[in-house]
Amino acid sequence: MATLEADTPRQVTQVREQLHETFDGVVDDSDIAHHKGKDYEQRFLSRALAALAVRRLAKCSAAEAAAFVTDGIADQGLDAIAPLPDSGQVLLVQAKWSDHGSATFDVGAAKAMVDGLNRIENELYEQFNQRAATLAQEARPLLISGKTILVIALMGTVQPSSQALEVLDNALQEFNKHGSRFSIEVLLSKDFHEQIHADLRPDPIGLEVRLDDWYKQKGPLEAYQGTVSAELVADWFEMYGTALFEHNLRAPLGTTVTNAAIGQTLTSTPTTFWHLNNGITMICDELEAKHESAKAPQSRATTLTVRGASIVNGGQTVRAIARAMHEDGETAANATLSIKIINTHGDKQFGIDVSQAANRQNAIEQRDHIALEPVHQAIKANLRAELRKHYVIKRGDQPPAPETGCSLDELALALACLHPDPEYAARASSSMENLWEVGPNGSHTVLFRREPSPLKVWRSVLTLRAARSAVYDHGVELSGRAAAVAEHGAFLITHLLFQHLGGTSIDDPDFDWDSEVLEKIPAVVPELVRRLAYQIELNSPRREVRVMFKSARESQDLALQVLDQLSDGIVIPEPPIKPRKPRRQNTVPLLVDRRVIKDGTPLRYEGQTEPERSAMEGWLIEDERRRQATWVNHRTKSILWAYDGQQYSPSGLVMKMWWDAGWADHPVANQGTMRWLLADDQSLWDLAQRIHNEDDEETSDLELETMADRST
């Protein structure tokens, strides 16, 4: 993480967010709860910063650190008093918060701190508030026999002034006459920034690995290879889940042909599993071997205690073993598999090299290699710290709920649309795989050359989502060339929205992105669609619309023409209005009005295309409730999903299912009523069409009767 002074405001934002997330409801604020707004905020943050300082130096939990915080009134210059009898230390903390990262420690602060120390030494406990007095009494024996650290905790970048340090040094000379037991520790904003990121990182995984038929590999790195039981591997997954694959190129992919074959072997012929499977590769930061025989270690099993364990090859195998143990544990427990364990001693780059070299069983895509790029780890850490949002990087990992974060696929697409050159939106329109190209002109290299700020990440993703939604909503009302523009031009339209509404201000925290961009999108999209359709009709009336949006040159030309028109205020003619039939009532309101389906009627989900079925089937069979629902006669949320018991619109639920299943290349929109089927395999859309056709026939018959009456 960057710790330069120029980054201080960003550090402040991230530290503030994590102080709230960590200490809200943990630090006692009962005496300041009556304060409002900034008055409360400054007092709370000062206390939370003191607690974070204690947590950093004492290596204790957040709750334990918060218990050492003194109340504001009569704390005698000490914001935290932390007696630590196990280590023979006491921490005396004075904390100063600054919203601008400019907190300082002056002579007055130093004198207040010394005054508090002297009150403890002289046992003037009655001069402290109740909490501080109790902590001071517990601390005094350690002042006499242990080590005392005066901790200056500043949300700033400047060391205490020389005059302030002189005040402290003069006081400590008196206390250190009979031994150097008193010292000073200064913590600045970079230290707190480092601490909150350390707190956000997952704890290293520790495992006990019992190996049979093992040997130790010769070479510069400590490594073992042997045989491990499938039951033990399943226990690891049960305990740690996908955290086991933290340094793998990707998370387990779910149901694939390869994984299905692994599972079948485990439950049918488990004793052949070792022979048919490539096994797993594990890296770790630390390793200790405990042999069962001193004279002939390899004649018996050995147990490896590993810390910082990560399975970098064989994630699919581990997932399949865990599933097989759940389905038929008695049979699968007879299986063993090969395992290779390499002690990297914390060498992250070597761990990446092992991961990239080891994966063979399921095809590795360029996107999987991209997932290990340091820029994505930085985005993940900073997005989590600053905005409390999650960034899912690996293919196969469950994407977050839309309001809680985004995926690498979504961010790459958003940045492609945000880029000033529409070529990158055109590349994405041609294939999402183009976003993972590396090299001087590769999309990934260009889009992620610099780490985007958390604000840029989140605003770009929100804009992409709003644009796709608005394009779909408008597209269902269109026909002809305009409909083709809405169907195939969503990425270029998103690019135009960024350029027209303020993409250059995306990093400006004072720019009101919601009102200036997001709220304007639904009104601007129809105008952009109209202008694009006009330019295509004017310049390339016979050109296939879909192909134009995949062409970098044609996309650049279209974007330039439309943006110039908007900038110059050029009005384009309205398209001729064609007579059209009265619009038919939408499917769900029609079915509700006619009451042709009873509440509680079972429905099931059915994919409409081969890519959709392939992407969804593995996820669906994990829990059959995911494809099941019941009908509710409700005009907006007519589908009650069996999986979570919540109501959705047909299309809204389909989109959620696509997201939850991790289908990265799903369409921007869907016709949900075609995907929810009744028991007779008739979709909701089919049923609505049948009603429309019957109504049309009745109308036609009525018109004929009317004409006959008039003729007589």
Short mmCIF file of all heavy atoms in Angstrom, two decimals, residues 346-369:
data_model
loop_
_atom_site.label_atom_id
_atom_site.label_comp_id
_atom_site.label_asym_id
_atom_site.label_seq_id
_atom_site.Cartn_x
_atom_site.Cartn_y
_atom_site.Cartn_z
N GLY A 346 7.34 -17.49 2.37
CA GLY A 346 6.69 -16.19 2.17
C GLY A 346 7.04 -15.51 0.87
O GLY A 346 6.68 -14.34 0.67
N ASP A 347 7.72 -16.19 -0.05
CA ASP A 347 8.08 -15.59 -1.35
C ASP A 347 6.83 -15.59 -2.24
O ASP A 347 6.50 -16.59 -2.86
CB ASP A 347 9.20 -16.40 -2.00
CG ASP A 347 9.72 -15.76 -3.28
OD1 ASP A 347 8.97 -14.98 -3.90
OD2 ASP A 347 10.86 -16.05 -3.67
N LYS A 348 6.13 -14.45 -2.29
CA LYS A 348 4.86 -14.38 -3.01
C LYS A 348 5.02 -14.62 -4.50
O LYS A 348 4.19 -15.27 -5.13
CB LYS A 348 4.19 -13.03 -2.74
CG LYS A 348 3.75 -12.84 -1.30
CD LYS A 348 3.03 -11.51 -1.11
CE LYS A 348 2.59 -11.35 0.33
NZ LYS A 348 1.89 -10.06 0.55
N GLN A 349 6.07 -14.06 -5.09
CA GLN A 349 6.25 -14.23 -6.53
C GLN A 349 6.49 -15.69 -6.88
O GLN A 349 5.96 -16.18 -7.89
CB GLN A 349 7.43 -13.38 -7.02
CG GLN A 349 7.63 -13.43 -8.53
CD GLN A 349 6.36 -13.05 -9.30
OE1 GLN A 349 5.76 -12.01 -9.06
NE2 GLN A 349 5.93 -13.92 -10.22
N PHE A 350 7.25 -16.40 -6.06
CA PHE A 350 7.46 -17.82 -6.35
C PHE A 350 6.15 -18.58 -6.21
O PHE A 350 5.87 -19.51 -6.98
CB PHE A 350 8.52 -18.42 -5.42
CG PHE A 350 8.87 -19.84 -5.76
CD1 PHE A 350 9.67 -20.12 -6.85
CD2 PHE A 350 8.37 -20.90 -5.01
CE1 PHE A 350 9.97 -21.43 -7.19
CE2 PHE A 350 8.66 -22.21 -5.32
CZ PHE A 350 9.48 -22.48 -6.42
N GLY A 351 5.33 -18.19 -5.24
CA GLY A 351 4.01 -18.82 -5.11
C GLY A 351 3.17 -18.63 -6.36
O GLY A 351 2.48 -19.54 -6.81
N ILE A 352 3.21 -17.42 -6.94
CA ILE A 352 2.49 -17.16 -8.18
C ILE A 352 3.05 -18.02 -9.31
O ILE A 352 2.30 -18.61 -10.11
CB ILE A 352 2.59 -15.66 -8.54
CG1 ILE A 352 1.80 -14.82 -7.53
CG2 ILE A 352 2.07 -15.42 -9.96
CD1 ILE A 352 1.96 -13.33 -7.72
N ASP A 353 4.38 -18.14 -9.37
CA ASP A 353 5.00 -18.97 -10.41
C ASP A 353 4.55 -20.42 -10.31
O ASP A 353 4.25 -21.06 -11.31
CB ASP A 353 6.53 -18.89 -10.30
CG ASP A 353 7.07 -17.50 -10.61
OD1 ASP A 353 6.33 -16.71 -11.23
OD2 ASP A 353 8.21 -17.21 -10.22
N VAL A 354 4.49 -20.93 -9.08
CA VAL A 354 4.04 -22.31 -8.88
C VAL A 354 2.60 -22.47 -9.32
O VAL A 354 2.23 -23.43 -10.01
CB VAL A 354 4.20 -22.73 -7.40
CG1 VAL A 354 3.57 -24.09 -7.16
CG2 VAL A 354 5.67 -22.74 -7.00
N SER A 355 1.75 -21.51 -8.94
CA SER A 355 0.33 -21.58 -9.29
C SER A 355 0.13 -21.57 -10.80
O SER A 355 -0.65 -22.35 -11.35
CB SER A 355 -0.43 -20.42 -8.65
OG SER A 355 -1.80 -20.48 -8.94
N GLN A 356 0.85 -20.71 -11.49
CA GLN A 356 0.69 -20.61 -12.94
C GLN A 356 1.21 -21.86 -13.64
O GLN A 356 0.66 -22.27 -14.66
CB GLN A 356 1.41 -19.37 -13.45
CG GLN A 356 0.75 -18.07 -13.01
CD GLN A 356 1.47 -16.84 -13.51
OE1 GLN A 356 2.68 -16.86 -13.72
NE2 GLN A 356 0.73 -15.77 -13.71
N ALA A 357 2.26 -22.46 -13.11
CA ALA A 357 2.86 -23.61 -13.76
C ALA A 357 2.11 -24.90 -13.46
O ALA A 357 2.16 -25.85 -14.25
CB ALA A 357 4.31 -23.76 -13.31
N ALA A 358 1.40 -24.95 -12.33
CA ALA A 358 0.86 -26.22 -11.86
C ALA A 358 -0.51 -26.57 -12.43
O ALA A 358 -0.87 -27.74 -12.50
CB ALA A 358 0.77 -26.22 -10.33
N ASN A 359 -1.30 -25.58 -12.81
CA ASN A 359 -2.68 -25.86 -13.20
C ASN A 359 -2.75 -26.51 -14.57
O ASN A 359 -2.29 -25.95 -15.56
CB ASN A 359 -3.50 -24.56 -13.21
CG ASN A 359 -3.84 -24.10 -11.81
OD1 ASN A 359 -4.81 -24.53 -11.23
ND2 ASN A 359 -2.99 -23.25 -11.25
N ARG A 360 -3.38 -27.66 -14.62
CA ARG A 360 -3.47 -28.39 -15.87
C ARG A 360 -4.83 -29.06 -16.10
O ARG A 360 -5.24 -29.25 -17.22
CB ARG A 360 -2.39 -29.49 -15.92
CG ARG A 360 -0.97 -28.92 -16.02
CD ARG A 360 -0.73 -28.25 -17.35
NE ARG A 360 0.64 -27.75 -17.45
CZ ARG A 360 1.00 -26.52 -17.13
NH1 ARG A 360 0.09 -25.66 -16.68
NH2 ARG A 360 2.25 -26.14 -17.24
N GLN A 361 -5.56 -29.44 -15.02
CA GLN A 361 -6.71 -30.33 -15.21
C GLN A 361 -7.86 -29.67 -15.94
O GLN A 361 -8.49 -30.28 -16.77
CB GLN A 361 -7.19 -30.86 -13.85
CG GLN A 361 -6.32 -32.02 -13.37
CD GLN A 361 -6.86 -32.62 -12.11
OE1 GLN A 361 -6.43 -32.29 -11.03
NE2 GLN A 361 -7.81 -33.50 -12.22
N ASN A 362 -8.23 -28.45 -15.61
CA ASN A 362 -9.22 -27.70 -16.35
C ASN A 362 -8.51 -26.57 -17.07
O ASN A 362 -7.54 -26.00 -16.56
CB ASN A 362 -10.32 -27.12 -15.43
CG ASN A 362 -11.32 -28.17 -15.02
OD1 ASN A 362 -12.10 -28.65 -15.83
ND2 ASN A 362 -11.27 -28.56 -13.75
N ALA A 363 -8.97 -26.22 -18.24
CA ALA A 363 -8.26 -25.25 -19.07
C ALA A 363 -8.09 -23.93 -18.34
O ALA A 363 -9.01 -23.42 -17.71
CB ALA A 363 -9.04 -25.02 -20.36
N ILE A 364 -6.88 -23.37 -18.43
CA ILE A 364 -6.58 -22.08 -17.83
C ILE A 364 -6.78 -21.00 -18.87
O ILE A 364 -6.27 -21.10 -19.99
CB ILE A 364 -5.14 -22.04 -17.30
CG1 ILE A 364 -4.96 -23.11 -16.21
CG2 ILE A 364 -4.79 -20.67 -16.77
CD1 ILE A 364 -5.82 -22.89 -15.01
N GLU A 365 -7.53 -19.99 -18.54
CA GLU A 365 -7.78 -18.90 -19.45
C GLU A 365 -6.89 -17.71 -19.09
O GLU A 365 -6.38 -17.60 -17.97
CB GLU A 365 -9.26 -18.49 -19.38
CG GLU A 365 -10.21 -19.61 -19.76
CD GLU A 365 -11.67 -19.20 -19.62
OE1 GLU A 365 -11.92 -18.02 -19.26
OE2 GLU A 365 -12.55 -20.04 -19.85
N GLN A 366 -6.72 -16.80 -20.06
CA GLN A 366 -5.91 -15.61 -19.81
C GLN A 366 -6.44 -14.82 -18.62
O GLN A 366 -5.69 -14.26 -17.84
CB GLN A 366 -5.86 -14.73 -21.06
CG GLN A 366 -5.10 -13.42 -20.89
CD GLN A 366 -3.64 -13.63 -20.56
OE1 GLN A 366 -3.08 -14.69 -20.81
NE2 GLN A 366 -3.01 -12.62 -19.96
N ARG A 367 -7.76 -14.82 -18.46
CA ARG A 367 -8.36 -14.10 -17.34
C ARG A 367 -7.89 -14.65 -16.00
O ARG A 367 -7.77 -13.92 -15.02
CB ARG A 367 -9.88 -14.21 -17.45
CG ARG A 367 -10.63 -13.36 -16.41
CD ARG A 367 -11.77 -14.18 -15.82
NE ARG A 367 -12.57 -13.39 -14.91
CZ ARG A 367 -12.22 -13.16 -13.64
NH1 ARG A 367 -11.07 -13.61 -13.17
NH2 ARG A 367 -13.00 -12.46 -12.84
N ASP A 368 -7.61 -15.96 -15.92
CA ASP A 368 -7.15 -16.56 -14.67
C ASP A 368 -5.76 -16.05 -14.30
O ASP A 368 -5.47 -15.81 -13.12
CB ASP A 368 -7.12 -18.09 -14.80
CG ASP A 368 -8.51 -18.67 -15.03
OD1 ASP A 368 -9.47 -18.13 -14.45
OD2 ASP A 368 -8.64 -19.63 -15.80
N HIS A 369 -4.89 -15.87 -15.29
CA HIS A 369 -3.57 -15.32 -15.02
C HIS A 369 -3.68 -13.86 -14.55
O HIS A 369 -2.95 -13.42 -13.67
CB HIS A 369 -2.69 -15.40 -16.27
CG HIS A 369 -2.33 -16.80 -16.65
ND1 HIS A 369 -1.37 -17.53 -15.99
CD2 HIS A 369 -2.82 -17.62 -17.62
CE1 HIS A 369 -1.26 -18.73 -16.53
NE2 HIS A 369 -2.13 -18.82 -17.52
#
